[in-house]
């Protein structure tokens, strides 16, 4: 084993100087926000996700609470409207700049099916449905997982045993099987009951992570100080321990949301999720699976948006993990390293003189 060289010491000193300068005078929230905004993958995912959300909501409109109050969009066709088929076979009217026809969007850029449905409108409605399921599943799973994990890790004893055995019972049954049963019971035309039902069974991983964090945090000095000061158990849980576990919770929630949209897609593809007249991305793939060889564009667009949404959520989750984890260190650029080293040498010479 070799001793560290002086160059290694100067590099480490320069890295520490850069890191200290970046966090100097900032609160914990500002440090996390700064780290997240510097994560290129997370920012790219956030921008693309925002674009997909705005496009889906503004293009065909969306209902507010009930179908009787509907905000219209700028797209001319609805997801369930039948229209005259423009191109032979319903091929997309969207053409690229390098094609002989030149760039053109046309009335049906994503194409049409055999009865004249506009695929762009149906894909946008599918995106709305899948995003609704994703957000509701994430919200319900987070609430249940945090509650079970917090109570189990804080009180331990019989509460820990009972809650963890219940968690193990849910884990033993495959999620796709539970989702299929719940999808058959609560799915159909309304995605909200399905999302709530799926959220009620996908919280187990988060509960275990929160339990582990609470078991560690409850032994810290600041918890003992809160007990000595007379703080109640609920105040210790929500005011002292939970804020310190928020990083694990946020990162796990993004992973839950990513898996939720894939689970909904799988259930709808198998026929256990969203059913007509509502539309989801998985249901579109299931509905047009017989046309895979003859009209592949019916699969391109739903599949593309499924992949894009899942990747965006994963990239955002990676950025949040790096932002909340203080052990994640960003490697500075060569220019920053050189500047920090020169600044350090100048300070040493100034002190020496």
């Amino acid at each position: 084993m070799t001793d560290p060289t002086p160059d290694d010491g100067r590099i480490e000193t320069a890295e520490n100087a850069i890191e200290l300068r970046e966090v100097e005078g900032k609160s914990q929230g500002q440090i996390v926000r700064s780290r997240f905004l510097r994560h290129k993958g997370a920012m790219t995912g956030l921008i693309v996700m925002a674009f997909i959300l705005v496009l889906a909501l503004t293009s065909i409109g969306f209902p507010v609470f009930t179908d009787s109050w509907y905000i219209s969009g700028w797209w001319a066709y609805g997801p369930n409207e039948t229209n005259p088929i423009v191109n032979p076979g319903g091929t997309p009217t969207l053409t690229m700049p390098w094609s002989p026809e030149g760039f053109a969007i046309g009335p049906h850029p994503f194409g049409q099916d055999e009865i004249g449905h506009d695929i762009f409108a149906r894909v946008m409605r599918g995106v709305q449905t899948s995003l609704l399921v994703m957000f509701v599943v994430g919200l319900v799973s987070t609430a249940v997982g945090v509650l079970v994990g917090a109570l189990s890790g804080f009180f331990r004893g019989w509460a820990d045993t009972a809650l963890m055995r219940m968690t193990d019972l849910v884990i033993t049954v495959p999620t796709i099987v539970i989702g299929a049963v719940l999808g058959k019971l609560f799915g159909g035309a309304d995605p909200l009951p399905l999302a709530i039902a799926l959220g009620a069974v996908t919280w187990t991983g988060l509960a275990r992570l929160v339990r582990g964090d609470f078991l560690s945090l409850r032994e810290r000095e600041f918890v003992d100080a809160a007990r000595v000061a007379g703080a109640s158990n609920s105040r210790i849980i929500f005011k002292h321990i939970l804020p310190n576990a928020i990083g694990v919770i946020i990162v796990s929630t993004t992973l839950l949301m990513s898996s939720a949209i894939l689970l909904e897609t799988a259930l709808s593809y198998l026929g256990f999720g969203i059913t007509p007249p509502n539309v989801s991305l998985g249901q579109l793939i299931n509905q047009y699976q017989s046309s895979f060889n003859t009209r592949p564009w019916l699969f391109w667009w739903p599949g593309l948006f499924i992949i894009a949404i899942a990747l965006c959520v994963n990239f955002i989750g990676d950025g949040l993990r790096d932002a909340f984890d203080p052990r994640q260190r960003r490697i500075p650029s060569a220019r920053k390293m050189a500047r920090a080293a020169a600044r350090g040498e100048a300070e040493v010479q100034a002190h020496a003189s």
Side-chain angles (χ1 to χ4, degrees):
M1 184 174 180
T2 59
D3 295 330
T5 63
D7 288 340
D8 293 336
R10 284 196 295 269
I11 291 174
E12 185 177 358
T13 301
E15 289 178 347
N16 293 333
I18 293 173
E19 187 172 359
L20 289 174
R21 186 172 295 275
E22 288 177 348
V23 302
E24 184 178 4
K26 295 181 179 179
S27 65
Q28 184 64 29
Q30 291 173 330
I31 294 172
V32 170
R33 183 167 59 252
S34 176
R35 288 175 177 170
F36 179 75
L37 293 177
R38 288 200 307 263
H39 196 286
K40 295 181 180 179
M43 295 309 300
T44 302
L46 191 62
I47 292 171
V48 174
M49 176 66 79
F51 173 76
I52 292 174
L53 181 61
V54 171
L55 178 65
L57 292 178
T58 60
S59 58
I60 62 171
F62 57 94
V64 181
F65 301 114
T66 61
D67 293 334
S68 58
W69 185 16
Y70 195 89
I71 297 179
S72 301
W74 45 265
W75 192 245
Y77 307 102
N80 294 317
E81 293 180 10
T82 56
N83 308 281
I85 297 179
V86 176
N87 283 349
T91 55
T93 58
L94 177 66
T95 56
M96 295 294 104
W98 54 84
S99 63
E101 298 84 3
F103 177 75
I105 296 178
H108 303 286
F110 287 7
Q112 295 174 277
D113 60 12
E114 66 277 4
I115 61 176
H117 286 142
D118 179 66
I119 300 303
F120 176 81
R122 291 179 70 76
V123 169
M124 291 300 102
R125 176 52 57 83
V127 170
Q128 291 183 9
T129 302
S130 298
L131 289 178
L132 173 64
V133 172
M134 182 184 73
F135 286 120
V136 173
V137 168
L139 182 63
V140 175
S141 297
T142 301
V144 178
V146 169
L147 180 62
V148 172
L151 294 178
S152 177
F154 183 81
F155 291 106
R156 298 187 298 185
W158 66 267
D160 183 23
T161 302
L163 291 173
M164 285 299 101
R165 296 299 77 77
M166 180 185 66
T167 304
D168 293 338
L169 181 63
V170 178
I171 290 177
T172 54
V173 183
T175 305
I176 191 70
V177 175
I178 301 179
V181 174
L182 295 176
K184 205 65 177 177
L185 293 175
F186 301 102
D190 190 358
L192 187 59
L194 174 64
I196 295 174
L198 293 179
V201 296
T202 55
W203 50 266
T204 52
L206 177 59
R208 285 186 169 275
L209 290 174
V210 173
R211 172 182 176 270
D213 248 22
F214 267 66
L215 286 174
S216 173
L217 292 171
R218 74 184 302 277
E219 305 299 333
R220 299 287 182 87
E221 291 80 2
F222 66 88
V223 176
D224 294 334
R227 285 198 182 97
V228 172
S232 62
N233 288 334
S234 60
R235 182 173 180 82
I236 292 174
I237 291 174
F238 293 105
K239 295 293 185 180
H240 297 281
I241 300 181
L242 191 58
N244 287 278
I246 195 67
V248 172
I249 294 172
I250 291 178
V251 173
S252 300
T253 299
T254 58
L255 298 177
L256 272 173
M257 294 168 67
S258 176
S259 61
I261 193 169
L262 297 178
L263 177 61
E264 183 275 326
T265 298
L267 291 176
S268 297
Y269 175 76
L270 295 173
F272 295 108
I274 306 299
T275 58
N278 213 326
V279 180
S280 76
L281 296 176
Q283 185 229 353
L284 287 177
I285 296 178
N286 178 36
Q287 182 178 354
Y288 299 131
Q289 60 180 326
S290 60
S291 305
F292 179 76
N293 293 324
T294 57
R295 286 171 292 179
W297 61 87
L298 299 177
F299 292 83
W300 292 345
W301 300 109
L304 177 64
F305 277 93
I306 290 171
I307 295 172
I309 293 172
L311 286 177
C312 288
V313 176
N314 282 327
F315 285 148
I316 294 171
D318 288 342
L320 291 172
R321 180 199 60 200
D322 294 346
F324 278 101
D325 191 352
R327 295 169 295 181
Q328 298 286 338
R329 298 183 62 177
R330 186 170 60 95
I331 299 176
S333 63
R335 182 179 298 180
K336 286 188 176 181
M337 291 285 292
R339 288 179 180 176
R343 191 182 299 113
E345 292 177 359
E347 291 177 356
V348 170
Q349 294 177 357
H351 285 298
S353 60

mmCIF file of all heavy atoms in Angstrom, residues 199-216:
data_model
loop_
_atom_site.group_PDB
_atom_site.id
_atom_site.type_symbol
_atom_site.label_atom_id
_atom_site.label_comp_id
_atom_site.label_asym_id
_atom_site.label_seq_id
_atom_site.Cartn_x
_atom_site.Cartn_y
_atom_site.Cartn_z
ATOM 1 N N GLY A 199 -52.392 2.098 -5.293
ATOM 2 C CA GLY A 199 -51.582 2.771 -4.283
ATOM 3 C C GLY A 199 -51.661 2.104 -2.926
ATOM 4 O O GLY A 199 -50.715 2.171 -2.125
ATOM 5 N N ALA A 200 -52.781 1.427 -2.658
ATOM 6 C CA ALA A 200 -52.969 0.769 -1.370
ATOM 7 C C ALA A 200 -52.178 -0.529 -1.234
ATOM 8 O O ALA A 200 -52.157 -1.119 -0.150
ATOM 9 C CB ALA A 200 -54.455 0.485 -1.139
ATOM 10 N N VAL A 201 -51.527 -0.986 -2.322
ATOM 11 C CA VAL A 201 -50.775 -2.245 -2.241
ATOM 12 C C VAL A 201 -49.323 -2.079 -2.702
ATOM 13 O O VAL A 201 -48.563 -3.051 -2.689
ATOM 14 C CB VAL A 201 -51.441 -3.350 -3.085
ATOM 15 C CG1 VAL A 201 -52.812 -3.678 -2.538
ATOM 16 C CG2 VAL A 201 -51.517 -2.965 -4.554
ATOM 17 N N THR A 202 -48.910 -0.886 -3.099
ATOM 18 C CA THR A 202 -47.541 -0.697 -3.597
ATOM 19 C C THR A 202 -46.669 0.107 -2.637
ATOM 20 O O THR A 202 -45.641 0.641 -3.038
ATOM 21 C CB THR A 202 -47.581 0.008 -4.963
ATOM 22 O OG1 THR A 202 -48.323 1.234 -4.860
ATOM 23 C CG2 THR A 202 -48.217 -0.871 -6.026
ATOM 24 N N TRP A 203 -47.036 0.170 -1.371
ATOM 25 C CA TRP A 203 -46.331 0.985 -0.393
ATOM 26 C C TRP A 203 -45.286 0.205 0.402
ATOM 27 O O TRP A 203 -44.560 0.790 1.229
ATOM 28 C CB TRP A 203 -47.346 1.560 0.607
ATOM 29 C CG TRP A 203 -48.276 0.512 1.174
ATOM 30 C CD1 TRP A 203 -49.500 0.175 0.710
ATOM 31 C CD2 TRP A 203 -48.029 -0.359 2.287
ATOM 32 N NE1 TRP A 203 -50.046 -0.838 1.453
ATOM 33 C CE2 TRP A 203 -49.162 -1.180 2.438
ATOM 34 C CE3 TRP A 203 -46.969 -0.505 3.175
ATOM 35 C CZ2 TRP A 203 -49.265 -2.155 3.436
ATOM 36 C CZ3 TRP A 203 -47.048 -1.466 4.175
ATOM 37 C CH2 TRP A 203 -48.192 -2.275 4.290
ATOM 38 N N THR A 204 -45.180 -1.099 0.189
ATOM 39 C CA THR A 204 -44.401 -1.950 1.091
ATOM 40 C C THR A 204 -42.905 -1.597 1.090
ATOM 41 O O THR A 204 -42.264 -1.565 2.141
ATOM 42 C CB THR A 204 -44.589 -3.415 0.707
ATOM 43 O OG1 THR A 204 -44.318 -3.583 -0.701
ATOM 44 C CG2 THR A 204 -46.025 -3.853 0.968
ATOM 45 N N GLY A 205 -42.332 -1.365 -0.094
ATOM 46 C CA GLY A 205 -40.906 -1.029 -0.155
ATOM 47 C C GLY A 205 -40.595 0.269 0.560
ATOM 48 O O GLY A 205 -39.596 0.367 1.295
ATOM 49 N N LEU A 206 -41.446 1.278 0.369
ATOM 50 C CA LEU A 206 -41.244 2.554 1.048
ATOM 51 C C LEU A 206 -41.373 2.400 2.558
ATOM 52 O O LEU A 206 -40.620 3.020 3.325
ATOM 53 C CB LEU A 206 -42.252 3.582 0.525
ATOM 54 C CG LEU A 206 -42.214 4.961 1.182
ATOM 55 C CD1 LEU A 206 -40.858 5.607 1.015
ATOM 56 C CD2 LEU A 206 -43.304 5.864 0.600
ATOM 57 N N ALA A 207 -42.323 1.586 3.000
ATOM 58 C CA ALA A 207 -42.505 1.382 4.441
ATOM 59 C C ALA A 207 -41.249 0.790 5.078
ATOM 60 O O ALA A 207 -40.838 1.206 6.178
ATOM 61 C CB ALA A 207 -43.709 0.475 4.689
ATOM 62 N N ARG A 208 -40.614 -0.145 4.415
ATOM 63 C CA ARG A 208 -39.388 -0.737 4.961
ATOM 64 C C ARG A 208 -38.246 0.273 5.011
ATOM 65 O O ARG A 208 -37.475 0.304 5.972
ATOM 66 C CB ARG A 208 -38.987 -1.955 4.129
ATOM 67 C CG ARG A 208 -39.859 -3.178 4.392
ATOM 68 C CD ARG A 208 -39.325 -4.386 3.652
ATOM 69 N NE ARG A 208 -39.984 -5.600 4.083
ATOM 70 C CZ ARG A 208 -39.631 -6.326 5.141
ATOM 71 N NH1 ARG A 208 -38.607 -5.930 5.890
ATOM 72 N NH2 ARG A 208 -40.282 -7.422 5.454
ATOM 73 N N LEU A 209 -38.131 1.095 3.980
ATOM 74 C CA LEU A 209 -37.079 2.111 3.976
ATOM 75 C C LEU A 209 -37.296 3.140 5.081
ATOM 76 O O LEU A 209 -36.348 3.532 5.778
ATOM 77 C CB LEU A 209 -37.023 2.795 2.618
ATOM 78 C CG LEU A 209 -36.501 1.956 1.451
ATOM 79 C CD1 LEU A 209 -36.649 2.718 0.144
ATOM 80 C CD2 LEU A 209 -35.050 1.575 1.674
ATOM 81 N N VAL A 210 -38.533 3.598 5.246
ATOM 82 C CA VAL A 210 -38.836 4.579 6.286
ATOM 83 C C VAL A 210 -38.622 3.971 7.666
ATOM 84 O O VAL A 210 -38.096 4.633 8.575
ATOM 85 C CB VAL A 210 -40.276 5.103 6.119
ATOM 86 C CG1 VAL A 210 -40.674 5.993 7.290
ATOM 87 C CG2 VAL A 210 -40.416 5.872 4.813
ATOM 88 N N ARG A 211 -38.999 2.715 7.841
ATOM 89 C CA ARG A 211 -38.776 2.044 9.133
ATOM 90 C C ARG A 211 -37.286 2.013 9.478
ATOM 91 O O ARG A 211 -36.890 2.310 10.616
ATOM 92 C CB ARG A 211 -39.321 0.621 9.085
ATOM 93 C CG ARG A 211 -38.969 -0.219 10.300
ATOM 94 C CD ARG A 211 -39.493 -1.635 10.151
ATOM 95 N NE ARG A 211 -39.085 -2.469 11.266
ATOM 96 C CZ ARG A 211 -37.961 -3.181 11.306
ATOM 97 N NH1 ARG A 211 -37.130 -3.147 10.255
ATOM 98 N NH2 ARG A 211 -37.656 -3.920 12.351
ATOM 99 N N GLY A 212 -36.454 1.651 8.509
ATOM 100 C CA GLY A 212 -35.019 1.621 8.760
ATOM 101 C C GLY A 212 -34.468 2.985 9.126
ATOM 102 O O GLY A 212 -33.623 3.105 10.028
ATOM 103 N N ASP A 213 -34.926 4.037 8.439
ATOM 104 C CA ASP A 213 -34.475 5.388 8.763
ATOM 105 C C ASP A 213 -34.924 5.805 10.156
ATOM 106 O O ASP A 213 -34.159 6.422 10.906
ATOM 107 C CB ASP A 213 -35.017 6.364 7.720
ATOM 108 C CG ASP A 213 -33.911 6.933 6.853
ATOM 109 O OD1 ASP A 213 -32.850 6.284 6.774
ATOM 110 O OD2 ASP A 213 -34.103 7.999 6.244
ATOM 111 N N PHE A 214 -36.161 5.480 10.515
ATOM 112 C CA PHE A 214 -36.674 5.854 11.835
ATOM 113 C C PHE A 214 -35.957 5.096 12.943
ATOM 114 O O PHE A 214 -35.718 5.652 14.025
ATOM 115 C CB PHE A 214 -38.183 5.615 11.903
ATOM 116 C CG PHE A 214 -39.005 6.822 11.550
ATOM 117 C CD1 PHE A 214 -38.999 7.342 10.269
ATOM 118 C CD2 PHE A 214 -39.775 7.457 12.506
ATOM 119 C CE1 PHE A 214 -39.746 8.452 9.941
ATOM 120 C CE2 PHE A 214 -40.525 8.575 12.199
ATOM 121 C CZ PHE A 214 -40.509 9.078 10.906
ATOM 122 N N LEU A 215 -35.637 3.834 12.721
ATOM 123 C CA LEU A 215 -34.893 3.078 13.732
ATOM 124 C C LEU A 215 -33.538 3.711 14.014
ATOM 125 O O LEU A 215 -33.058 3.695 15.157
ATOM 126 C CB LEU A 215 -34.701 1.628 13.262
ATOM 127 C CG LEU A 215 -35.925 0.721 13.312
ATOM 128 C CD1 LEU A 215 -35.612 -0.630 12.675
ATOM 129 C CD2 LEU A 215 -36.407 0.519 14.752
ATOM 130 N N SER A 216 -32.913 4.272 12.978
ATOM 131 C CA SER A 216 -31.622 4.931 13.158
ATOM 132 C C SER A 216 -31.772 6.321 13.765
ATOM 133 O O SER A 216 -31.044 6.684 14.689
ATOM 134 C CB SER A 216 -30.897 5.012 11.817
ATOM 135 O OG SER A 216 -29.720 5.768 11.913
#
